[in-house]
Amino acid sequence: MLAFLIRRVSQSAVVLLVMSVLVFVGVFYIGNPIDILIAPDASEAEYLAAIKRLGLDKPLWEQYFIFLKGALQGNFGNSFVYNEPALKIILDRLPATLELAFTAMFMAVFLGIPLGMVAGIQHDNLIGRNIMRFSILGFSLPTFWVGLMLIIIFSVYLDWLPSGGRGPTTEFLGMQVSFLSWEGISYLILPATNLALFKTSLAIRLSRAGVQENLQMDYVKFARAKGLSNTRIIGLHVMKNIMIPVITVLGMELGNLIAFAVVTETIFAWPGMGKLVIDSIGVLDRPIIVAYLLITVTMFIFINLLVDLMYSVLDPRVRLGDER
Amino acid sequence: MRKKLLLSFVILASLVLGASFANAKDLTIGLKGEPTSLDPHFHNVTQNNQMALYIFDKLILQDSKQKMYPGLAESWKPINDTTWEFKLRKGVKFHDGSDFTAEDVKFTIERIPNVPNSPSSMAGAVGAVKEVEIVDDYTIRIHTEKPAPLTPRNFASFVIVSKKAAEGKATEDFNSGVAAIGTGPYKLVEWARGDKIVYERNEDYWGEKPEWTRIVVRPISNDGTRVAALKSGDVDLINFVPPADVKHMGEDKKLALHKSSSTRLIYLHIDTDREFTPMVTGNNGEQIKNPYLDLRVRKAISKAINRPAIAARIMEGLAIPASQMLPDGYEGTSKNLKPEAYDPKGAKALLKEAGYPDGFKITIHGPNDRYVNDADIAQAIAQMLTKVGIKTEVNTMPKAVYFGKASALEFSLMLVGWATDTGEHSNCVGSLLHTFDKEGGFGKSNRGRYSNPKVDSLLEEALVTVDPAKHNELLVESVEIGMNDLGIIPIHFQVSVWGTKKGLTYNGRTDGYTLPHEIKSK
């Protein structure tokens, strides 16, 4: 277990290093931020002064090493447009994104898995088929379109829910969150639903397939023969077995939710990281873009690790230390 | 008896309700952009400059057509060629209750070039200042190295901060609100970045008291969402109504639209410098000499562009065909220039005369996320040029990529925009038409490298001519020469549209700012 962890951490460090080089070089070649940041009628002296202030006068490799040195000490440099540490600005936005992503994931798990199991058990009747139809819609409709439809239906026509923004927040564990007040929740419902749609469909499909496969298995027949109740067979034994693929996929998808909630955040003017990074790309705010991507990679690495650890809990046959 | 009681109750209730309606003067505004900072001297971009006016005042303010009127300075005049005197307004208080005096002005002028890490400073506005002399608490003299006729214009571009509140403070302190202490109509309450900025009315404001007691500004960058927020009543006013939505919003009885012309010029920059320009070839792909060097070719391109059609169809009526760099009525604008009429036959004839009877092949470049319908305009122009025989390809790209390449002179014919926030012509002549001159600070955005010594000398003379009539005359002449020479090819001025719920009025502003103290209920 310990050897496994050490190996994973050192591999991760290499991945991060390679990523940082790629991202840095990539962002460098997109364009020169000064052309976008500076007022077009600025004088040459101001132009040069701004380049120097932002450290853009140095060659690429030197900029990279300054960045790397800072990054190893936890400092990703100051944002060009906000003049505050990039890391701080991203972490300020993190709670909003996490809240949105976890709410969406919560919806996907607690709606998707039960629905998928129902669809798996009752695969040949109307309920099962309708659940599957819903999941096809959830898969195929583009997120931005669904988002706009949700706004048009629930905000503009029915006037039930606000069209965007985050609304009032309450402090919880040192973070500002929406889900502790009714008004806050009303702001959360539409974007979370929008974000959850695809994941819910995914959970439905995975658990349906899992249930159908497991119901054919000998252990189920054996359990039935032994006289176990249907609820117990499905709720405990089958459930446990279908959870492995579901957890793997949803675990990966959680990373996606956090990292790529961009579309939903933009449509619902949700003040999260995704919106921040889109704005930052627009003005080539390099420190934010680089820091954001590195944080995202770190998060994926961490989630993967967590998924692997959960495997071993769910299925004792999986041994973490094994070299293949 | 019971009826009477009920009646009086109803009357009472309606009175209370009516009163509370009268008091509920909250206004929620949905803006496309968010300021990058509340430090008014940190980043010289529109969103920041506009937000600064909620909290702060300028010495000289600009009305909705950018004419100057007294702000914190009651009057200003040149005493001699290199000295300007400003008389300051008495009895003005900052939000923290301290008095506004000449010290604050001096502090501000000295702070502007020295804001740490500024990505685009406002130093240009005070670049001519040699010394700030405090005569008394309410009189200040600005000494300049050379005659500086633009001093009032420049001083109408930055806001005054409080020395007491801002001395030794950093940009973060403005963002957190500690140093964001102004004399303006609103006080900052809270900035939740990415979500909202909240202001409350400054009850001690020296000028006309605004109608709204509380302002909430929400950044909503997505066009569809911004429109939906207005339609659902979540916000009371939005800016940058997208042209595609203007028609159906105009038909909505619960909404009102408010239009105003702007100083945002959309134009073509054209390589009039290099003998061989990269994006032009002969019809068989062979290299040819730069045809844009020939005035007749430039004229042909201008004649080939159907400006009214672009304004009507692509811009949904939200554009005004342009003949020069600022709309009529602005300082330095020529009365003799008219938008080039659509004349494809004349264009063909000119091309033939210039020795290109069969035309040539070119590429037009443009951004696709910077100006209203920018990529569509480039497409339309390409079709119009192809129609008169110049086979045109289109290449558009995100602004983040585009402007770097454009400044590196990788393009030959490019679509660009220019907004003259100062409201007078020397700004655009100096940046777009004057010969590129790094040291002198001229031609900074002259990406076609147009050069005409006559334009240069006229502008340079205007810049040291303090007499307003003479100054204006010199500017007009430089504009006329540059435009007749087609140093740039003007297309149109954008029209800005604000949407509000019914019952609100906003006269709009040519600088595109959304200022809550100019929003009124009917």
Side-chain angles (χ1 to χ4, degrees):
Chain A
M1 178 82 177
L2 189 67
F4 166 79
L5 277 179
I6 291 173
R7 202 170 60 237
R8 277 296 279 272
V9 169
S10 52
Q11 281 168 358
S12 309
V14 176
V15 170
L16 276 174
L17 194 72
V18 173
M19 257 303 283
S20 72
V21 175
L22 287 178
V23 170
F24 212 84
V25 173
V27 173
F28 187 86
Y29 277 104
I30 292 176
N32 187 351
I34 203 74
D35 290 316
I36 295 179
L37 292 171
I38 202 156
D41 50 353
S43 73
E44 185 65 18
E46 283 171 57
Y47 187 82
L48 293 176
I51 286 184
K52 213 172 151 71
R53 271 197 296 265
L54 301 179
L56 298 171
D57 52 339
K58 301 189 175 73
L60 175 61
W61 62 269
E62 201 182 335
Q63 289 185 37
Y64 177 73
F65 278 106
I66 292 172
F67 159 79
L68 194 65
K69 221 173 113 193
L72 290 175
Q73 296 158 355
N75 170 17
F76 288 87
N78 268 20
S79 151
F80 292 165
V81 297
Y82 302 112
N83 195 27
E84 284 179 40
L87 197 62
K88 175 183 173 283
I89 290 181
I90 294 173
L91 293 183
D92 277 353
R93 298 284 191 97
L94 187 64
T97 297
L98 287 184
E99 184 175 19
L100 189 61
F102 278 111
T103 312
M105 194 43 93
F106 186 83
M107 287 167 123
V109 168
F110 286 90
L111 279 173
I113 295 177
L115 283 177
M117 290 177 77
V118 171
I121 297 161
Q122 316 206 346
H123 57 91
D124 48 0
N125 68 16
L126 204 64
I127 302 174
R129 272 195 222 117
N130 276 335
I131 293 175
M132 289 319 285
R133 281 189 194 116
F134 166 80
S135 84
I136 290 170
L137 275 186
F139 263 122
S140 39
L141 296 178
T143 314
F144 71 91
W145 186 84
V146 174
L148 285 174
M149 284 302 127
L150 288 174
I151 292 177
I152 288 173
I153 295 169
F154 292 100
S155 309
V156 177
Y157 283 109
L158 298 173
D159 202 13
W160 288 352
L161 295 165
S163 63
R166 204 178 172 204
T169 53
T170 330
E171 185 154 331
F172 174 70
L173 299 177
M175 292 190 300
Q176 292 295 321
V177 296
S178 301
F179 67 87
L180 289 178
S181 70
W182 279 116
E183 210 190 336
I185 290 175
S186 73
Y187 283 85
L188 191 56
I189 293 175
L190 288 187
T193 308
N194 186 220
L195 199 57
L197 201 60
F198 185 86
K199 311 298 163 199
T200 310
S201 308
L202 197 65
I204 289 176
R205 307 220 125 198
L206 285 170
S207 30
R208 174 179 179 263
V211 167
Q212 283 187 324
E213 192 187 320
N214 277 284
L215 285 181
Q216 313 290 327
M217 296 248 212
D218 287 345
Y219 78 90
V220 173
K221 289 178 190 154
F222 185 68
R224 286 225 166 96
K226 226 179 135 193
L228 288 183
S229 74
N230 216 9
T231 336
R232 194 168 162 80
I233 294 172
I234 291 172
L236 188 73
H237 299 286
V238 173
M239 179 91 162
K240 233 176 167 177
N241 280 312
I242 64 166
M243 283 313 265
I244 289 181
V246 174
I247 283 184
T248 314
V249 174
L250 288 187
M252 295 302 295
E253 292 292 326
L254 178 66
N256 279 336
L257 273 183
I258 298 171
F260 306 114
V262 179
V263 176
T264 299
E265 287 184 3
T266 309
I267 290 176
F268 289 92
W270 187 263
M273 301 193 299
K275 195 160 165 291
L276 173 73
V277 84
I278 284 292
D279 294 345
S280 299
I281 289 172
V283 293
L284 288 180
D285 192 350
R286 287 186 195 165
I288 299 251
I289 301 173
V290 174
Y292 174 83
L293 287 171
L294 289 180
I295 289 173
T296 311
V297 173
T298 312
M299 201 174 62
F300 272 101
I301 291 171
F302 183 72
I303 290 174
N304 275 343
L305 182 64
L306 222 60
V307 167
D308 283 351
L309 293 176
M310 272 170 95
Y311 266 5
S312 69
V313 175
L314 281 169
D315 186 351
R317 286 173 303 177
V318 178
R319 294 226 176 71
L320 292 174
D322 281 353
E323 284 278 9
R324 274 167 287 268
Chain B
M1 186 64 201
R2 196 179 268 173
K3 256 187 186 164
K4 244 187 190 165
L5 211 77
L6 193 71
L7 190 71
S8 54
F9 177 75
V10 167
I11 290 171
L12 194 75
S14 55
L15 274 177
V16 169
L17 262 178
S20 70
F21 268 124
N23 286 332
K25 286 287 190 181
D26 284 18
L27 189 73
T28 307
I29 301 174
L31 297 184
K32 188 174 171 82
E34 185 183 25
T36 60
S37 167
L38 291 181
D39 179 341
H41 307 135
F42 172 65
H43 192 185
N44 186 10
V45 286
T46 306
Q47 313 92 285
N48 292 26
N49 297 344
Q50 141 183 298
M51 263 320 138
L53 286 171
Y54 288 43
I55 308 175
F56 303 96
D57 281 311
K58 296 169 175 178
L59 285 179
I60 302 171
L61 293 165
Q62 295 183 14
D63 70 5
S64 62
K65 297 262 179 286
Q66 290 174 283
K67 289 232 158 51
M68 296 188 283
Y69 70 95
L72 290 178
E74 280 183 318
S75 66
W76 54 92
K77 60 168 195 280
I79 315 189
N80 56 46
D81 259 8
T82 58
T83 312
W84 283 82
E85 187 175 88
F86 289 80
K87 290 274 183 205
L88 305 181
R89 196 176 290 278
K90 289 176 187 152
V92 175
K93 297 224 180 277
F94 280 102
H95 296 160
D96 61 358
S98 59
D99 285 318
F100 158 74
T101 68
E103 285 289 344
D104 300 304
V105 179
K106 186 173 157 75
F107 171 77
T108 299
I109 293 171
E110 284 163 2
R111 176 179 196 265
I112 284 173
N114 298 311
V115 179
N117 298 325
S118 164
S120 176
S121 82
M122 295 193 150
V126 296
V129 179
K130 192 176 75 179
E131 197 206 329
V132 183
E133 180 198 348
I134 296 180
V135 179
D136 59 51
D137 267 2
Y138 296 99
T139 311
I140 202 158
R141 282 193 186 149
I142 306 296
H143 298 277
T144 59
E145 207 80 59
K146 286 184 294 186
L150 291 179
T151 300
R153 273 291 166 196
N154 286 332
F155 277 42
S157 69
F158 61 84
V159 300
I160 304 295
V161 297
S162 150
K163 182 180 182 187
K164 187 175 155 231
E167 194 162 32
K169 294 289 191 332
T171 297
E172 292 99 288
D173 299 309
F174 280 89
N175 296 342
S176 70
V178 179
I181 306 289
T183 58
Y186 285 96
K187 299 177 184 181
L188 176 70
V189 177
E190 183 203 356
W191 182 17
R193 196 170 265 165
D195 192 27
K196 59 176 181 281
I197 314 180
V198 183
Y199 302 90
E200 70 182 29
R201 186 164 70 184
N202 172 14
E203 299 298 335
D204 301 318
Y205 187 51
W206 58 269
E208 190 194 340
K209 208 185 254 186
E211 196 176 332
W212 316 101
T213 47
R214 195 180 139 90
I215 301 282
V216 178
V217 175
R218 281 184 40 200
I220 310 176
S221 53
N222 183 283
D223 285 343
T225 313
R226 207 164 54 255
V227 171
L230 178 67
K231 293 190 87 162
S232 67
D234 287 352
V235 301
D236 302 315
L237 179 142
I238 59 171
N239 67 352
F240 287 104
V241 171
D245 286 314
V246 164
K247 192 158 173 273
H248 85 257
M249 285 175 72
E251 288 161 0
D252 192 327
K253 288 193 176 57
K254 286 183 291 185
L255 306 178
L257 293 178
H258 314 274
K259 296 178 191 171
S260 160
S261 67
S262 81
T263 59
R264 168 78 66 193
L265 168 74
I266 302 297
Y267 65 95
L268 293 178
H269 230 135
I270 186 163
D271 183 355
T272 55
D273 183 41
R274 288 174 284 187
E275 195 183 350
F276 293 97
T277 193
M279 297 296 166
V280 176
T281 65
N283 283 328
N284 301 319
E286 77 278 15
Q287 196 180 36
I288 56 169
K289 282 208 169 169
N290 181 358
Y292 303 143
L293 294 175
D294 191 325
L295 175 61
R296 288 168 297 190
V297 173
R298 302 204 292 273
K299 194 96 184 155
I301 291 174
S302 188
K303 277 183 187 296
I305 296 170
N306 190 346
R307 291 175 179 79
I310 292 177
R313 294 201 213 116
I314 293 169
M315 298 296 290
E316 313 265 346
L318 299 177
I320 298 166
S323 64
Q324 47 200 317
M325 294 171 285
L326 273 171
D328 293 343
Y330 283 81
E331 229 172 282
T333 305
S334 160
K335 291 191 175 63
N336 302 325
L337 294 169
K338 294 279 169 286
E340 186 79 59
Y342 177 52
D343 178 14
K345 273 193 193 132
K348 274 186 194 157
L350 276 170
L351 282 175
K352 201 171 168 190
E353 202 185 312
Y356 302 99
D358 302 317
F360 41 87
K361 277 187 176 165
I362 66 167
T363 305
I364 177 171
H365 287 85
N368 54 23
D369 58 352
R370 180 66 188 88
Y371 312 111
V372 178
N373 296 340
D374 39 14
D376 299 336
I377 298 169
Q379 284 285 357
I381 290 175
Q383 285 174 24
M384 291 166 184
L385 294 183
T386 304
K387 229 169 151 184
V388 299
I390 304 172
K391 288 152 218 74
T392 310
E393 279 183 38
V394 184
N395 189 352
T396 61
M397 54 196 86
K399 63 173 187 290
V401 181
Y402 178 77
F403 284 102
K405 287 179 183 277
S407 295
L409 305 185
E410 288 182 28
F411 308 143
S412 302
L413 185 70
M414 63 209 106
L415 184 85
V416 210
W418 185 267
T420 312
D421 287 342
T422 58
E424 56 83 53
H425 245 121
S426 77
N427 169 280
C428 27
V429 177
S431 297
L432 305 182
L433 290 181
H434 191 290
T435 307
F436 179 69
D437 171 9
K438 254 186 163 178
E439 279 69 45
F442 288 116
K444 193 77 213 46
S445 296
N446 184 348
R447 298 185 171 110
R449 293 293 186 262
Y450 171 76
S451 171
N452 184 336
K454 192 85 187 111
V455 173
D456 296 359
S457 66
L458 283 167
L459 174 73
E460 281 164 38
E461 201 187 332
L463 288 179
V464 291
T465 305
V466 176
D467 175 57
K470 189 107 197 295
H471 173 82
N472 195 47
E473 216 170 275
L474 290 163
L475 273 185
V476 171
E477 206 184 330
S478 72
V479 170
E480 281 178 359
I481 295 175
M483 298 318 296
N484 285 328
D485 223 5
L486 290 165
I488 62 162
I489 301 176
I491 311 286
H492 60 238
F493 296 105
Q494 289 180 7
V495 170
S496 323
V497 187
W498 286 264
T500 62
K501 65 177 185 189
K502 203 97 204 167
L504 293 185
T505 57
Y506 187 58
N507 54 9
R509 294 180 57 92
T510 49
D511 52 17
Y513 291 0
T514 306
L515 299 180
H517 29 298
E518 293 179 5
I519 300 166
K520 306 262 155 65
S521 65
K522 266 184 240 167

